[in-house]
Structure formats: structure tokens, C-alpha cells
Amino acid sequence: MDVLLRGGPGDGHIVPGGGESVLWQACLYEITPAVEHRRGRDLRVYQHRPDCCEPYGRGSEDRCE
């Protein structure tokens, strides 16, 4: 299944994934209830979690791993 990333460095990218979260490069994206229509299909939207992105000190202290 493909998902749509919103916010952060991956904004607008369509990537394979599913479940509660998706990791794109060094950033975590979490599932939202939103769905957007892109490229002739409906895609679940995953929102960027800025506190879990490598440049922001991503780490286990915030359940980012």
C-alpha cells in the first residue's frame, strides 16, 4: 500500500508503507484519519513528527525508534 507524506522534508512524497507510522529517510511520519486522492487513487495521509527527525535529536527518549 502507498501512503502520502505531509509536512517535513518528505512533504508530498508518495511512498510504500502502512501501519501506525512510516519512516522516510531519517524522519518519522504518523498515520492520520485523512485520505487524499492522488494519481487516480485514494492515499492515507501520514503527518511528519518533527521531534523524531534526525536533525531535531531523534531518539529513544521520545519513543522515536
Side-chain angles (χ1 to χ4, degrees), residues 3 8 12 14 27 34 40 43 51 53:
V3 301
I14 296 173
C27 294
L43 300 170
D51 61 328
C53 204

Side-chain angles (χ1 to χ4, degrees), residues 5-50:
L5 304 181
R6 278 285 166 233
D11 188 45
H13 281 80
I14 296 173
V15 299
E20 293 295 316
S21 60
V22 171
L23 186 63
W24 183 81
Q25 292 189 356
C27 294
L28 186 67
Y29 288 77
E30 294 182 323
I31 194 169
T32 69
V35 175
E36 286 192 27
H37 190 73
R38 290 281 178 97
R39 298 183 186 171
R41 56 195 169 146
D42 291 330
L43 300 170
R44 174 68 70 181
V45 176
Y46 280 68
Q47 183 65 42
H48 180 241
R49 186 168 163 188

